[in-house]
């Protein structure tokens, strides 16, 4: 059984200005770490949802470039979100066009091309929705859909997913 959320141990170097040296240095380093890594894509590990534990903060080394900055090595553990091919997700539709739908599940955006929608759905330009011929089912912005991820492409700062609604138990929910 594969899962979308993982606990991962990571390392990071932070450069800290000397004005923050003092009795609150550790608090400042922790706050800076949270703000720099939470909500970001971290290579192939996925999106960092939250830092859950800081194991060590190094003693810091003064940089040799006349800036006065000190570099601190930080060893921490975090929860990451990394979807996988074949995973079924409940998402919220963010955008609809004649080319397909863009849905979001947390930090993950999934594009479903119109060819990966069931044949029963037709695009309605009038109200920018996909609906069945008998109008019993409608997909519109803000609506929840259940989809399956069929492709993932990881770029340096972006995780692109492609999904399908054309399978059993998938579609508008």
């Amino acid at each position: 059984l594969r899962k979308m959320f993982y606990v991962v141990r990571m390392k990071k170097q932070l450069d800290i200005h000397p004005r923050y040296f003092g009795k609150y240095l550790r608090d400042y380093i922790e706050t800076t770490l949270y703000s720099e890594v939470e909500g970001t894509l971290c290579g192939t590990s996925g999106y960092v949802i939250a830092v859950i534990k800081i194991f060590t903060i190094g003693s810091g080394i003064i940089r040799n470039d006349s800036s006065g900055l000190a570099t601190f090595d930080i060893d921490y553990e975090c929860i990451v979100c990394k979807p996988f091919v074949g995973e079924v997700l409940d998402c919220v539709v963010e955008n609809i066009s004649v080319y397909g739908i863009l849905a979001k599940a947390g930090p993950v955006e999934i594009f479903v091309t119109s060819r990966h929608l069931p044949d029963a759905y037709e695009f309605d330009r009038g109200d920018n929705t996909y609906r069945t011929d008998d109008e019993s089912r409608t997909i519109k912005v803000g609506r929840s859909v259940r989809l399956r991820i069929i492709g993932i492409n990881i770029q340096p700062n972006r995780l692109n997913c492609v999904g399908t609604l054309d399978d059993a138990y998938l579609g508008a929910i």
Side-chain angles (χ1 to χ4, degrees):
L1 179 67
R2 297 178 75 184
K3 55 188 175 187
M4 187 165 140
F5 295 96
Y6 300 89
V7 175
V8 177
R9 192 164 179 167
M10 296 185 167
K11 295 181 185 293
K12 181 163 180 69
Q13 289 186 329
L14 285 180
D15 291 330
I16 305 297
H17 193 276
R19 77 175 135 241
Y20 300 108
F21 298 171
K23 72 179 193 174
Y24 298 111
L25 175 62
R26 182 175 178 85
D27 293 338
Y28 181 76
I29 290 172
E30 289 176 3
T31 302
T32 303
L33 176 69
Y34 298 145
S35 67
E36 283 193 16
V37 301
E38 290 181 345
T40 63
L41 181 63
C42 190
T44 59
S45 297
Y47 285 101
V48 177
I49 303 298
V51 174
I52 54 175
K53 184 174 185 178
I54 297 175
F55 293 106
T56 59
I57 297 175
S59 56
I61 297 172
I62 305 292
R63 289 179 28 182
N64 194 16
D65 62 1
S66 303
S67 66
L69 298 174
T71 301
F72 291 85
D73 292 323
I74 303 166
D75 183 19
Y76 63 98
E77 193 172 62
C78 58
I79 298 172
V80 296
C81 170
K82 183 180 179 186
F84 60 89
V85 173
E87 183 165 13
V88 175
L89 298 174
D90 290 347
C91 307
V92 176
V93 175
E94 296 279 314
N95 194 0
I96 294 181
S97 74
V98 70
Y99 303 109
I101 65 170
L102 180 66
K104 197 166 184 178
V108 180
E109 289 184 343
I110 304 104
F111 183 69
V112 179
T113 65
S114 57
R115 69 184 184 106
H116 286 115
L117 293 171
D119 291 336
Y121 282 95
E122 294 290 329
F123 184 68
D124 183 348
R125 291 183 188 274
D127 57 2
N128 206 37
T129 62
Y130 278 95
R131 66 179 73 234
T132 55
D133 292 336
D134 63 359
E135 297 190 15
S136 63
R137 289 173 286 167
T138 303
I139 298 174
K140 60 184 178 180
V141 173
R143 181 90 188 253
S144 293
V145 293
R146 182 166 292 139
L147 55 81
R148 181 182 323 278
I149 295 175
I150 58 173
I152 297 174
N153 182 11
I154 300 176
Q155 300 293 323
N157 294 317
R158 190 169 173 89
L159 181 82
N160 299 313
C161 295
V162 177
T164 183
L165 295 177
D166 195 13
D167 206 351
Y169 308 107
L170 303 180
I173 51 177

